[in-house]
Amino acid sequence: MGMSGAASGGGAGGGGRGEYMRIPEDVDAIKEAAKEEGDCPRLLRCRAIRWWAKVAVLAIFLAGGAAAAVVFLGPLVIKKVVVPLIDWQSTTFSRPVIALICFGAIALFPSVLLPSSPFMWIAGMTFGYGYGFLIITTAMSIGMSLPFFIGSAFHSRIHRWLEKWPKKAAFVRLAGEGDWFHQFRAVALLRISPFPYLVFNYASVATNVKYCPYIAGSMAGTIHETFLAIYSGKLVQSLAAATSQGSFLSVDQIIYNGIGFSVAAVSTAAITIYAKKALQKLQAEDELV
């Protein structure tokens, strides 16, 4: 009995020692987890600093490139190409005809997968931020609606085409999930993101997105592009006017336009990066649900 008790006691003691041996491991794991949680905000701050540093470097390079292009290449290109085109346009067509041509091109070209950006520049150059904005946005609403309705007749074919690119299709399908606001938000982010504008006009049909959130999200997601096109057109017009008069922009005007264009380009890049990250977050949330 004594030996049995001793053996039993030894077993219990051994079992106790075994459990005490596991406690330090648990404590170390808890400490490690706490350390990682503490480092998480610091890591996020470092990533944010690095991201803004990249944006600042990009802005400097863009400003330098824009200044070099304006000073060295700008006068030659404007004098030989842009000024003759503007003179031909102004002498050949009246303002109502130019408005009609720009409206028709922006409204119809996306349906046949042709870019309409040059006509957005012409509209901005000719009509400015007021009428130019109205012409572009109204025409774009038609240009994004026609492929939506045309593509409905080829729903199954577009769906099979998207299956060839599963990663891109996963982002596009976000537009057809959830309620009205979810679809609106997904479409707006897809419009801002690097996803091809002309392709999404047709690809959206395969997502079963409703028309109202589709067109509302599309208009909201392309406002920055509209203002950038108008600004670019006005900038080219001012450069052409100065060149045709035998002079060029003053140093102050060059600095002002260079900074303005760089800010517009960097803002567009930052919005695009944000939209891409927001889409990835939205996709992760949908996968969890």
Side-chain angles (χ1 to χ4, degrees), residues 140 144 184 187-193 197 214-226 271:
M140 284 183 69
M144 291 182 289
F184 165 82
V187 170
L189 291 174
L190 282 165
R191 288 297 188 187
I192 299 172
S193 72
Y197 167 83
Y214 164 78
I215 193 62
S218 295
M219 296 303 296
T222 53
I223 288 178
H224 72 288
E225 181 183 350
T226 302
I271 292 172

Side-chain angles (χ1 to χ4, degrees), residues 7 75 100 140 160 166 188:
L100 185 61
M140 284 183 69
R160 288 195 302 270

Side-chain angles (χ1 to χ4, degrees), residues 148 151-152 154-156 158-159 162 169 172-180 182-184 187 200-214:
F148 183 87
S152 300
F154 307 97
H155 181 277
S156 58
I158 295 174
H159 185 77
L162 279 176
V172 174
R173 291 193 180 96
L174 291 174
E177 300 175 356
D179 56 8
W180 193 98
H182 185 283
Q183 293 184 0
F184 165 82
V187 170
F200 182 70
N201 289 339
Y202 283 101
S204 60
V205 177
T207 65
N208 296 321
V209 63
K210 303 299 182 184
Y211 175 72
C212 287
Y214 164 78

